[in-house]
């Protein structure tokens, strides 16, 4: 479907063209008309499907058509600072030729950023893209005027609930007008999301793009290894494959730091991202990785969702993700758009049960590669045998990121 068919303002179409979008993606084709009609919406769509523009475009269009005021008209709540920045950049591109303004509001930055956010919130900005905690801290100061709010957008809502943001979201909602249009985007729609939607949305239109499965183009491999074999094998893979862009995921920030230290010793071009770093350091690392100034980024799951980095050659799961959805999100960082990519997972004996659960979700086994002989024989992949100690445990991801 061509963007001309939505009846968008010519200035908005100019922004769409400047970004090089030619045809609407499936989620845009379904979501945009429903939003323009004023419907509440639940959309299950992953990052990479064009979901950000699917909500930004109709919201910008409706703001352009409304009577100009100095008040906040749309609030986008997201789980991470990185996603807030990314959506704001997307917004800047799409709205470039229009008068619609936006500001990202997220924690962890210095005092001057807080003052700038406060000023924008006081003076009035059209679209606010925020993380829950930071928004609440502004609301608590008493200067945020939501009386002109028309749109509430919850992006990556499933991730926000996993991170324990339910109460914060409900608190923010208690400050905004009851009469508004609600849009909720999530990669998956577990029962908790259903409860949230019943509370927050009214008679929503539902768009479901097939349950998330890894892109066929990703070549998935796994190595059954002992912990002591992980670093030597990783070094070997990184040095022998000559890749330009590698994202390595660790499940905890301590293992992220440890691994990053080990790899730096080898003189590899590497940076790390986890929640112990301040916002500026996180943004710099991500920017350097996106621009390919560095080859390797070691990260916690903070980066597994929502973040759009093109052309990653390889994703390595240094340890097995905590659940299948995380696995799918992590390996979805490679083979974006038309590119193909490789995803490699290291499985230690204790993680075999957990990996089997992931294979069950994928509905097929992941090919187990043989550990090169110089690193000694790896353990047999036999999840039934390793049942002990490998219990499948789902915990609040945000706490450990
Ligand atoms: P998202 O799923 O919103 O994170 O978008 C993923 C990527 O697709 C971003 O780099 C967008 O700029 C891009 N994108 C969004 N809509 C379109 C479109 N209609 N045509 C081409 N690229 C798009």
């Amino acid at each position: 479907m061509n963007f001309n068919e939505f009846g968008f303002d010519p200035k908005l179409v100019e922004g769409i063209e400047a970004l090089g979008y030619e045809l609407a993606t499936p989620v845009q084709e379904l979501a945009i008309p429903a939003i323009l009609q004023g419907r509440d919406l639940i959309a299950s769509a992953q990052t990479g499907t064009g979901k950000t523009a699917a909500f930004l475009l109709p919201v910008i269009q409706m703001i352009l058509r409304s009577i100009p005021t100095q008040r906040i008209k749309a609030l986008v709540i997201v789980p991470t600072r990185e996603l807030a920045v990314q959506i704001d950049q997307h917004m800047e591109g799409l709205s470039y030729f229009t008068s619609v303004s936006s500001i990202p509001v997220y924690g962890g930055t210095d005092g001057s950023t807080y003052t700038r956010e406060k000023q924008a919130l006081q003076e009035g900005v059209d679209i606010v893209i925020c993380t829950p905690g930071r928004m609440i801290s502004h609301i608590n100061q008493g200067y945020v005027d939501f009386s002109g709010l028309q749109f509430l957008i919850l992006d990556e809502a499933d991730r926000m609930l996993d991170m324990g943001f339910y109460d914060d979201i409900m608190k923010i909602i208690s400050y905004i007008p009851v009469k508004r249009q609600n849009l909720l985007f999530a990669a998956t729609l577990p029962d908790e999301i259903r409860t949230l939607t019943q509370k927050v949305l009214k008679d929503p239109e539902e768009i479901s793009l097939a349950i998330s499965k890894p892109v066929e183009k990703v070549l998935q491999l796994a190595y059954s290894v002992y912990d002591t074999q992980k670093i030597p094998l990783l070094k070997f893979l990184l040095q022998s494959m000559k890749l330009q862009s590698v994202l390595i995921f660790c499940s905890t920030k301590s293992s992220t730091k440890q691994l990053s230290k080990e790899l730096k010793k080898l003189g590899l071009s590497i940076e790390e991202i986890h929640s112990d770093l301040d916002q500026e350091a996180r943004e710099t690392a991500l920017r350097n990785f996106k621009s390919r100034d560095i080859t390797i980024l070691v990260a916690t799951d903070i980066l597994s969702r929502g973040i759009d980095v093109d052309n990653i050659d390889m994703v390595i799961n240094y340890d097995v993700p905590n659940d299948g959805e995380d696995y799918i999100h992590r390996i979805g960082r490679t083979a974006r758009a038309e590119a193909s990519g490789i995803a490699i997972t290291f499985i230690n004996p204790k993680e075999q049960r957990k990996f089997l659960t992931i294979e069950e979700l994928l509905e097929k086994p992941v090919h187990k590669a043989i550990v090169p002989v110089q690193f000694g024989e790896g353990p047999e992949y036999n999840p039934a045998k390793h049942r002990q100690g490998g219990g499948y445990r789902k915990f609040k991801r945000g706490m450990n990121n």
Side-chain angles (χ1 to χ4, degrees):
M1 190 168 172
N2 198 296
F3 282 102
N4 293 328
E5 297 172 51
F6 294 116
F8 286 144
D9 187 288
K11 290 201 162 65
L12 186 51
V13 175
E14 234 180 303
I16 298 170
E17 283 171 358
L19 289 186
Y21 300 177
E22 283 168 10
L23 296 173
T25 65
V27 67
Q28 290 163 357
E29 209 169 308
L30 294 168
I32 293 172
I35 300 172
L36 289 173
Q37 277 168 22
R39 294 286 306 268
D40 276 12
L41 181 82
I42 308 176
S44 65
Q46 285 174 278
T47 296
T49 56
K51 70 182 170 66
T52 314
F55 65 77
L56 285 180
L57 285 170
V59 167
I60 300 171
Q61 167 69 14
M62 287 155 94
I63 292 175
L64 282 171
R65 289 285 147 91
S66 64
I67 302 162
T69 65
Q70 293 291 92
R71 289 179 294 174
I72 301 166
K73 298 174 192 70
L75 183 65
V76 184
I77 310 182
V78 303
T80 62
R81 305 159 192 179
E82 282 76 11
L83 190 55
V85 172
Q86 186 176 292
I87 294 175
D88 188 59
Q89 286 166 350
H90 216 119
M91 168 69 201
E92 252 177 53
L94 291 172
S95 66
Y96 190 79
F97 300 97
T98 75
S99 54
V100 179
S101 58
S102 68
I103 186 170
V105 167
Y106 48 83
T109 43
D110 56 23
S112 67
T113 315
Y114 195 92
T115 311
R116 209 168 45 244
E117 290 173 4
K118 177 177 171 183
Q119 200 177 352
L121 292 169
Q122 281 175 320
E123 288 174 359
V125 57
D126 293 312
I127 303 182
V128 174
I129 302 147
C130 67
T131 52
R134 181 66 153 216
M135 193 66 233
I136 287 178
S137 104
H138 283 291
I139 290 174
N140 286 342
Q141 303 296 315
Y143 45 72
V144 184
D145 175 10
F146 280 134
S147 62
L149 196 101
Q150 301 159 37
F151 304 97
L152 171 70
I153 297 119
L154 302 175
D155 192 19
E156 304 267 350
D158 48 346
R159 176 102 162 111
M160 289 203 278
L161 295 189
D162 279 347
M163 290 170 78
F165 286 143
Y166 179 84
D167 290 341
D168 285 354
I169 293 171
M170 294 316 284
K171 178 163 183 184
I172 297 172
I173 290 177
S174 74
Y175 286 91
I176 65 178
V178 176
K179 192 169 173 308
R180 58 172 195 263
Q181 190 174 353
N182 302 288
L183 314 173
L184 181 144
F185 288 79
T188 52
L189 299 175
D191 289 347
E192 300 86 356
I193 288 279
R194 297 275 167 203
T195 315
L196 178 76
T197 55
Q198 276 161 16
K199 286 211 165 134
V200 178
L201 280 71
K202 288 187 202 77
D203 185 26
E205 167 112 13
E206 191 164 332
I207 294 174
S208 181
L209 296 175
I211 163 116
S212 38
K213 283 278 155 69
V215 211
E216 291 299 328
K217 288 170 293 183
V218 183
L219 171 66
Q220 299 174 62
L221 291 176
Y223 285 95
S224 178
V225 287
Y226 296 107
D227 281 335
T228 48
Q229 293 175 310
K230 283 188 176 183
I231 287 190
L233 178 59
L234 180 63
K235 287 178 183 170
F236 170 79
L237 292 172
L238 292 174
Q239 287 175 327
S240 58
M241 293 175 91
K242 301 268 176 290
L243 300 162
Q244 291 189 339
S245 188
V246 182
L247 182 52
I248 304 175
F249 282 111
C250 293
S251 290
T252 64
K253 49 192 174 195
S254 59
S255 56
T256 305
K257 288 181 203 170
Q258 178 61 29
L259 182 60
S260 158
K261 207 153 117 196
E262 290 286 340
L263 297 178
K264 272 181 191 153
K265 281 191 211 152
L266 291 180
L268 293 169
S269 153
I270 184 167
E271 283 193 36
E272 60 192 69
I273 285 200
H274 47 75
S275 60
D276 272 358
L277 294 178
D278 67 23
Q279 184 60 25
E280 203 181 315
R282 284 160 63 167
E283 276 175 25
T284 307
L286 189 57
R287 202 170 41 244
N288 290 343
F289 185 58
K290 281 187 179 185
S291 63
R292 301 205 163 192
D293 286 340
I294 54 157
T295 312
I296 303 165
L297 188 64
V298 188
T300 56
D301 280 304
I302 222 165
L303 271 203
S304 74
R305 301 187 188 204
I307 296 303
D308 186 35
V309 185
D310 288 333
N311 302 325
I312 296 175
D313 299 323
M314 186 155 83
V315 167
I316 297 178
N317 293 315
Y318 188 71
D319 36 39
V320 175
N322 287 310
D323 62 38
E325 284 298 329
D326 274 346
Y327 178 82
I328 289 167
H329 283 288
R330 284 183 180 191
I331 75 164
R333 301 300 93 198
T334 182
R336 314 274 287 160
E338 294 312 309
S340 54
I342 307 171
I344 296 180
T345 305
F346 291 172
I347 317 164
N348 75 15
K350 277 189 189 166
E351 294 169 323
Q352 290 195 4
R353 282 291 305 160
K354 201 157 72 172
F355 196 70
L356 179 66
T357 318
I358 292 171
E359 291 182 305
E360 282 165 3
L361 180 83
L362 298 172
E363 292 172 354
K364 61 175 185 194
V366 171
H367 177 72
K368 310 295 172 313
I370 296 169
V371 178
V373 7
Q374 64 268 40
F375 306 119
E377 212 175 317
E380 176 197 9
Y381 183 70
N382 183 352
K385 190 170 128 196
H386 294 287
R387 186 175 288 274
Q388 231 185 22
Y392 177 63
R393 202 163 49 100
K394 185 173 163 87
F395 57 84
K396 299 257 184 237
R397 295 183 199 103
M399 320 220 4
N400 229 13
N401 282 344

